Amino acid sequence: MEEIIHRLKKFVKERKWEKYHTPKNLAMSISIEAAELMEHFQWNEESFPDLRKNNEKRKEVEEELADVMIYCLLFFYYLGSDVETVIMNKIQQNEKKYPYLGKKQNIYKKEGNSNMS
């Protein structure tokens, strides 16, 4: 993870893009890239096995995911946050919020919610 963040910082610094990396701009960029990812699945019900078989589509999806991740990592960097610590803490919160109830549980049903947040 450190190498990725180092390369991103270098890439941004060489191009003098730091001034454009405000919280608003990075948040918007994350959302825009996520929307580009969603476009790949609009009007279809592709499964992961389908994606793995279609190398061209898989590559396009990987690139959109990478764009989302890049903006997320930059946001963490500018916040001064340790990505791994924040994510591990969030996983721990989710484990408490959605405790394991046995093999037959429906992981997406808790108090009427269908989304993990």
Side-chain angles (χ1 to χ4, degrees):
M1 187 68 69
E2 287 180 30
E3 181 182 347
I4 292 169
I5 292 171
H6 174 75
R7 297 238 352 238
L8 287 172
K9 288 178 358 186
K10 182 176 184 251
F11 181 85
V12 169
K13 186 173 184 172
E14 289 173 346
R15 288 152 184 81
K16 298 179 175 31
W17 287 352
E18 297 99 333
K19 62 186 172 190
Y20 304 111
H21 289 179
T22 64
K24 176 190 75 94
N25 287 347
L26 288 175
M28 289 176 65
S29 295
I30 292 166
S31 181
I32 291 164
E33 294 300 340
E36 290 179 12
L37 173 63
M38 289 186 292
E39 282 183 310
H40 288 277
F41 307 104
Q42 186 176 20
W43 314 118
N44 70 59
E45 295 297 325
E46 285 182 286
S47 66
F48 284 109
D50 294 335
L51 281 174
R52 285 191 295 268
K53 291 176 191 172
N54 184 338
N55 289 332
E56 183 179 338
K57 177 87 174 233
R58 179 181 175 161
K59 185 176 185 309
E60 291 171 0
V61 167
E62 287 173 342
E63 288 178 2
E64 296 302 347
L65 281 167
D67 286 337
V68 171
M69 292 290 296
I70 286 167
Y71 284 120
C72 288
L73 291 173
L74 286 168
F75 208 117
F76 276 119
Y77 165 71
Y78 288 117
L79 280 176
S81 302
D82 179 76
V83 178
E84 292 180 41
T85 300
V86 173
I87 292 174
M88 292 302 287
N89 287 341
K90 184 60 180 175
I91 292 169
Q92 187 176 18
Q93 287 176 15
N94 285 340
E95 288 170 342
K96 289 177 185 172
K97 187 175 180 179
Y98 304 99
Y100 178 66
L101 303 173
K103 291 182 180 182
K104 294 186 180 187
Q105 74 180 20
N106 181 341
I107 63 170
Y108 294 110
K109 288 197 175 185
K110 181 181 191 265
E111 298 175 20
N113 293 333
S114 60
N115 298 319
M116 288 181 48
S117 57

